Amino acid sequence: MRRRLFLSAERLIAEHGFELVSSRDITSDASANIAAINYYYGSKLALLVDIFRARAAELNGERKALLKAALAQQAPRIDDILRALIEPAILWHDPERQTALRYLNRARGEGPPEMQAILQNDVGHLARFVDAIESVCPALPREEIVWKLHFSLGVLHHNSAADYRRLENLSGGACDPGDRERLLERTLAFISAGFLA
Amino acid sequence: MRRRLFLSAERLIAEHGFELVSSRDITSDASANIAAINYYYGSKLALLVDIFRARAAELNGERKALLKAALAQQAPRIDDILRALIEPAILWHDPERQTALRYLNRARGEGPPEMQAILQNDVGHLARFVDAIESVCPALPREEIVWKLHFSLGVLHHNSAADYRRLENLSGGACDPGDRERLLERTLAFISAGFLA
DNA sequence: AGTCTTTTCAAACGAGCGTTTGCGCGCGAT
DNA sequence: ATCGCGCGCAAACGCTCGTTTGAAAAGACT
């Protein structure tokens, strides 16, 4: 039942957003009683933060592993490092992980203040990427690296369903965000160019 | 009174977000009665959409004028076009316009569905930029231009107070988002490089 | 079988929300 | 002086929200 609440909450919020999903929506989707959320998680907020922590840890774990592999090469290039940052966030495409990604994306923008505080303060995993880029491009001042990483995350996070619908309206359907492999290459090309400028 | 409600709603929402500001917050900030919003605007939503439309029109009007000026040069470069896109959104720094910017930024992420629908469908002003870039770089396929414009808007919109606090946490205070002129140049350099890659 | 713990359930609680009501004030025009 | 009207106001309405309650049901263990 705990797990069912977790998955229902995650899926409903990924689809409709944090503001539009009530405790009653979640418990009825999970075929549970209204009181179940408070019984298992203490509060609705605690459930949502639990989901957020679990999925963020999963994502950052993959990033960390890819970064380690990239740095283990004998001559790592900045593309490899940036790829380790963005690949999991673009290529997760089995249904459960895609849902998890949409949940995390929403949490960034519309999540409760407690989540936003975590996002602001937990920068350890990003600091690893700053260090990695510094080791590969010693000429780049650290301040410059942080700024460009900030811009790159802007590109990466600009990936909500609403953003895509605008993209398709603008291109008359020529741009297909469903082709994740090409999206990854396009994104990587764009931000790599920004770093090498 | 209409104007007072407009400005109070805009300022409070820019500061605290759409979800945390109630009709009672707005009317009490404007020294008005709780019924004033419905009397002057019909509903709270109508007021918020009114604010959104007014400020978006103001912003896009400035962009349009700058774009026209850029294209009037005898040999316009892509930097000039991109600058017309991002300069108003970065350099507005008198207090009222800064508030307006924060309101618009929030509307993009946490605004009510009606606003998000406008953002998705009103792409005319962006189409002008696609055309302009096409006229300057005829070699770039239109699909490519739209993708890169999409990425550029990602960089531009990654500008909330929360994003900046993370940036400062990550850089140990070395990055100063308050220096708007430098931020403009940094941003322009990053996205221009992406277009020329 | 009996006891104790864990889980499920219907019902209600209190608070906050956006909105509506209906009365009365003040002011300009007749 | 009074009528009409735009406006301001206190109060209440109906609704949804997250949470709590207390008892019934299910399960575990001796």
Side-chain angles (χ1 to χ4, degrees), chain A residues 84-159:
Chain A
L85 179 70
I86 72 175
E87 188 181 299
I90 292 182
L91 246 35
W92 275 8
H93 48 317
D94 54 299
E96 180 173 335
R97 283 180 148 179
Q98 207 153 25
T99 297
L101 271 185
R102 306 231 311 252
Y103 183 95
L104 287 175
N105 258 342
R106 289 214 190 254
R108 225 178 309 279
E110 7 155 343
E114 290 79 358
M115 279 186 206
Q116 315 244 12
I118 296 173
L119 282 165
Q120 281 171 37
N121 298 321
D122 272 18
V123 292
H125 60 107
L126 289 178
R128 278 202 300 272
F129 279 90
V130 176
D131 294 342
I133 293 171
E134 195 171 28
S135 77
V136 167
C137 307
L140 263 183
R142 199 174 167 87
E143 181 195 358
E144 198 85 17
I145 295 175
V146 174
W147 269 115
K148 292 187 173 186
L149 197 67
H150 173 75
F151 293 149
S152 301
L153 291 172
V155 175
L156 181 62
H157 293 163
H158 196 53
N159 272 354

Side-chain angles (χ1 to χ4, degrees), chain A residues 22-24 34 38 43-44:
Chain A
S22 66
S23 295
R24 286 168 175 83
I34 295 289
N38 292 271
S43 73
K44 183 192 183 190

Side-chain angles (χ1 to χ4, degrees), chain A residues 15-32:
Chain A
E15 282 175 12
H16 305 112
F18 276 87
E19 323 303 332
L20 295 173
V21 176
S22 66
S23 295
R24 286 168 175 83
D25 293 331
I26 296 168
T27 50
S28 108
D29 184 90
S31 301

Side-chain angles (χ1 to χ4, degrees), chain A residues 150-159 163 166 190, chain B residues 85-86 105 108 147-160 163 187 190-191:
Chain A
H150 173 75
F151 293 149
S152 301
L153 291 172
V155 175
L156 181 62
H157 293 163
H158 196 53
N159 272 354
D163 295 330
R166 186 171 70 171
F190 192 88
Chain B
L85 179 70
I86 71 175
N105 259 340
R108 227 179 308 278
W147 270 114
K148 292 187 173 183
L149 198 66
H150 173 75
F151 293 149
S152 301
L153 290 172
V155 175
L156 180 62
H157 294 162
H158 196 53
N159 272 355
S160 75
D163 296 329
T187 307
F190 192 88
I191 66 179

